[in-house]
Structure formats: C-alpha cells, structure tokens
Amino acid sequence: LKYPFEVTPLPYPSNSLSKVIDEQTMNLHHDKHHQTYVEKLNKEAKGKKATLYTLIKSASKQKEALKNNAGGHWNHAFFWTVLSGNEAHHNISPSLEARIKKDFGSIENFKAQFEEAGKNHFGSGWVWLIINARGQLKVTTTPNQDNPIMDLAKSRGLPLLGVDVWEHAYYLRYQNDRAAYLKAVWDVVNWSQVGRYYEEAKAKGYK
C-alpha cells in the first residue's frame, strides 16, 4: 500500500455484525473515522514513496501526525479483517488453538487476559494478540493509534488479532461499559482470518 492511500470497502455488509456492533457504529467508524485518518495521512505522506508498512515500522522516525494517521489507517484496515458475522469463520484452527493453549494454558485463560488488558488500558487505544520474534503469543495494548509493528512499541510483534478500544468503536451500544463490549466481541471474531495471519507469521519465521 503506497500513497495515495485509500479506505477499502468493508469486506461484509455493515449490518452483518449487528448482534455485537450496530450498523450505525460500523458506518460511522468505517466511513467517517477511518476515512479521516486516510485523508490526513495523504496530506502528511505526499511525496513519500514508502509503503504503509514501512512508515509504520519506522514510526519513531516519522512526524507525530504521520505516525498517528498511518497507524490509524493500518489498525482499522486490519480490524475490519478480523471481524465476521459469518458463523463459518468463528472456529479456531487446530494449529492456532494448540498454540494458544501452550502459551496461555487454555482458550478461556487467553480470552480473560485479553479482556482484562483491554478493559484496564487507560484512555484510547487497542488490545492485541501478537506473535513475537521468539514465536510466542502475547497479549499487549498500545495507546492511541500505535500498534505492535511500530519500532517504539513496548511489546513488538506481528498482530494476529486486534480490537479497537476507542470509545467510538462501542459507545452507541455499550456506553462506557468497555468490558461488556470486549466480552461480546468474541461472537464476531473472524478466527479463520486470525488463523491465516498465524500461519503467515510462521512462514516468515515467527515460530
């Protein structure tokens, strides 16, 4: 992905996650919030030939506005892919399930740790499941529109799953109850895609 950047359409109808995330929230989040990050990113990135991934990875060397908006674009583009209302996408692959159990003890322990990290993250940001350079699965959070690919992240790795905990992601339905949103979101996680990200990471040597 290179300049000029653009928002791609959602990979599903905006009402298809409505049992967890209402259509109005999805439309505002994708069409307004994500679009705004891309518009601001294009102003900041004009004349640069670097890919979005390169800009993200070298975040500490970028101007604050470029870092923030590049992160906003990457994070949201990733977020849409790890959600699905299709029941066929809701099963964890045996390979990923085994790895989660190895690193967290059980699927339940992983979900509890993920929810706790997201709930307790101060202010706006994201909660992630990542695989680090040693091949370990970890739960981490990042502030604002930072992500674990950035060279300034406290815990670096490749994201396999990320959930937006900015209030605009959940406020219309859940108000200030971030914990309820995080518990509900499991019902629309696209585990098929998360599993593909895991296999891609292993192919890159993260194992």
Side-chain angles (χ1 to χ4, degrees):
L1 297 175
K2 290 187 175 181
Y3 174 88
F5 302 99
E6 60 183 31
V7 177
T8 57
L10 286 170
Y12 36 72
S14 58
N15 64 355
S16 64
L17 309 177
S18 57
K19 66 178 179 179
V20 175
I21 306 173
D22 58 277
E23 183 176 12
Q24 185 181 7
T25 292
M26 289 299 295
N27 287 332
L28 286 168
H29 201 170
H30 178 269
D31 301 347
K32 302 297 183 184
H33 289 281
H34 190 178
Q35 181 64 41
T36 298
Y37 285 120
V38 169
E39 289 172 0
K40 290 182 177 179
L41 172 60
N42 281 331
K43 289 180 182 178
E44 297 296 330
K46 191 172 184 179
K48 291 184 178 290
K49 296 180 180 179
T51 65
L52 180 61
Y53 187 85
T54 301
L55 292 174
I56 293 292
K57 203 169 181 182
S58 59
S60 68
K61 300 177 178 64
Q62 308 301 332
K63 291 192 300 182
E64 189 76 4
L66 180 58
K67 175 192 75 105
N68 290 342
N69 290 294
H73 181 26
W74 194 96
N75 292 353
H76 285 90
F78 180 84
F79 185 44
W80 312 133
T81 70
V82 295
L83 301 176
S84 175
N86 186 339
E87 294 287 341
H89 296 159
H90 294 168
N91 296 318
I92 304 177
S93 69
S95 173
L96 179 56
E97 182 175 8
R99 190 62 207 228
I100 288 174
K101 287 179 177 178
K102 179 180 179 182
D103 289 343
F104 295 97
S106 68
I107 299 297
E108 292 71 26
N109 285 349
F110 156 65
K111 288 183 175 180
Q113 187 174 328
F114 191 92
E115 290 173 34
E116 194 70 10
K119 180 183 72 174
N120 292 330
H121 178 77
F122 181 77
S124 300
W126 293 74
V127 56
W128 307 90
L129 170 67
I130 64 169
I131 185 166
N132 66 19
R134 295 182 296 280
Q136 299 167 313
L137 299 187
K138 298 284 186 181
V139 168
T140 188
T141 62
T142 55
N144 302 314
Q145 293 298 348
D146 289 6
N147 67 47
I149 298 169
M150 292 180 174
D151 57 355
L152 45 70
K154 65 180 181 182
S155 185
R156 296 185 66 189
L158 289 182
L160 306 180
L161 172 66
V163 174
D164 191 344
V165 295
W166 284 63
E167 287 185 343
H168 63 243
Y170 61 87
Y171 208 82
L172 291 183
R173 177 171 294 184
Y174 300 93
Q175 262 86 78
N176 63 336
D177 195 349
R178 185 189 285 180
Y181 158 69
L182 287 165
K183 191 169 290 293
V185 83
W186 298 117
D187 288 339
V188 291
V189 167
N190 185 346
W191 283 110
S192 295
Q193 183 61 58
V194 177
R196 281 192 286 273
Y197 288 138
Y198 175 57
E199 297 304 326
E200 289 170 7
K202 288 199 298 180
K204 292 176 182 176
Y206 287 77
K207 56 185 176 180

